[in-house]
Amino acid sequence: MIPRLHERTHTAHDPLAEALGRPVSPNEGLTEYTVVAHWPGLDYFTLDDEQKTWTSLQWAEHLEDPYLEHPFAASPDDDRRAMLHIDVRLHPDDRELTGPEWAEAAHRLARASGIEIPGKEHGCRWIAVQAQSGRLDVIANLIHLDGAWHASPADILRRLADEARRIEQDLHLIPVRTRPTARPAIRPAPTASAQLASVLTQLADEQVGPLATVRGLVEHTAHRIARQPGAASTDAAHRLELIARRLHAIQQDLDSTAARLVQTRVAAVPPAARHTAHRSP
């Protein structure tokens, strides 16, 4: 489970569209199977609401309402970008989580990031969206209900990573592959092997590498096709899942090849001549 913290934005539309994998719509209703968790205070807004299912546009507007209610709320450095967006992704070979498991993960990540504080009545509005296979998005407005600005912890990424490790253990998920700490850092060097290793490492990067982007698009397409009726859709979705797994295997092969290039370069460097200390007679 890999957590990622996005750059804050002014609106909830872009984070929600990214979480859904499609544009925000005034017609598409999001059920509890998509919005798997939310801030506790939402119950007061939906208690007397005859419309039980909100559209994605209504969810975006709900998250943005604090802007209108508190037009002068801002961070200490006068930043009005209040929309916080966190996403986590499972290992490609992980099992499919149930709705309650996604909800549990969402609440734990919300508490780890500080946007949900048990017992606090005037906290942040937030929702958790599970619309893409193996992915969970948490979107929050940092303006509290009382107009105060929520200051995220300075070590929010570390807290999210630590909580992700605990969720992996509790839900018996595949842990994130850790890189050997003894591997030499790949930095620009005058040797061809080091330069090539750097290129391969960039290609294999799990966060921002081009293959990771392609794999994510393939997984998303497989998830969308699987929702379509018919045996042909099921077969196409299965084929795309296999393609995504092959892409992940290619990433791992590229990463291993880059490591070998670095190790070969280090081994090729002759050991430094030993300096023998001579005592003065």
Side-chain angles (χ1 to χ4, degrees):
M1 178 176 283
I2 303 175
R4 181 173 58 164
L5 181 65
H6 298 253
E7 184 177 357
R8 295 204 315 272
T9 61
H10 288 95
T11 74
H13 285 66
D14 289 343
L16 185 53
E18 183 174 346
L20 293 171
R22 53 189 179 274
V24 171
S25 168
N27 302 315
E28 179 190 15
L30 302 183
T31 69
E32 68 274 14
Y33 298 104
T34 300
V35 180
V36 294
H38 52 73
W39 63 293
L42 181 65
D43 294 335
Y44 293 103
F45 290 83
T46 58
L47 186 62
D48 299 322
D49 192 354
E50 295 181 359
Q51 183 180 354
K52 300 301 181 182
T53 301
W54 287 3
T55 66
S56 55
L57 178 61
Q58 288 175 314
W59 280 111
E61 292 173 343
H62 175 74
L63 290 172
E64 293 172 1
D65 279 347
Y67 278 122
L68 303 176
E69 298 168 359
H70 307 286
F72 302 105
S75 69
D77 56 355
D78 202 30
D79 188 349
R80 286 274 290 169
R81 294 177 300 169
M83 304 310 304
L84 181 74
H85 182 196
I86 301 165
D87 79 69
V88 292
R89 303 182 187 224
L90 302 184
H91 189 282
D93 295 329
D94 260 322
R95 62 182 177 84
E96 189 67 29
L97 299 188
T98 64
E101 287 175 325
W102 281 121
E104 178 188 348
H107 280 284
R108 291 175 62 167
L109 292 169
R111 288 193 293 270
S113 65
I115 60 175
E116 178 176 289
I117 302 175
K120 186 174 180 61
E121 297 180 356
H122 303 288
C124 301
R125 296 187 182 193
W126 66 269
I127 64 172
V129 177
Q130 205 287 298
Q132 302 184 55
S133 179
R135 171 171 172 159
L136 178 72
D137 292 75
V138 178
I139 307 170
N141 191 317
L142 297 181
I143 301 175
H144 287 190
L145 299 187
D146 57 6
W149 183 273
H150 175 78
S152 299
D155 59 345
I156 182 173
L157 270 176
R158 182 189 62 78
R159 294 188 182 197
L160 288 170
D162 290 345
E163 188 61 33
R165 300 293 80 74
R166 288 189 285 267
I167 293 173
E168 287 173 351
Q169 294 177 0
D170 294 344
L171 298 184
H172 306 291
L173 301 175
I174 299 174
V176 173
R177 181 171 55 89
T178 56
R179 299 175 183 268
T181 57
R183 178 185 297 178
I186 300 175
R187 297 178 181 176
T191 61
S193 61
Q195 294 174 356
L196 293 173
S198 178
V199 172
L200 296 181
T201 301
Q202 294 174 26
L203 288 173
D205 191 286
E206 187 65 34
Q207 294 294 326
V208 296
L211 288 179
T213 301
V214 173
R215 199 181 91 215
L217 291 172
V218 172
E219 291 174 346
H220 169 62
T221 304
H223 184 67
R224 293 287 299 277
I225 291 178
R227 294 182 175 182
Q228 304 300 318
S233 298
T234 303
D235 181 65
H238 178 65
R239 290 176 179 272
L240 288 174
E241 289 175 356
L242 293 177
I243 291 172
R245 292 186 181 183
R246 289 202 295 271
L247 285 170
H248 183 254
I250 291 173
Q251 287 177 274
Q252 292 180 317
D253 289 342
L254 288 172
D255 192 52
S256 299
T257 302
R260 292 193 189 98
L261 282 173
V262 174
Q263 292 169 358
T264 302
R265 173 175 170 264
V266 172
V269 176
R274 296 182 179 178
H275 297 280
T276 306
H278 295 280
R279 292 186 179 180
S280 300

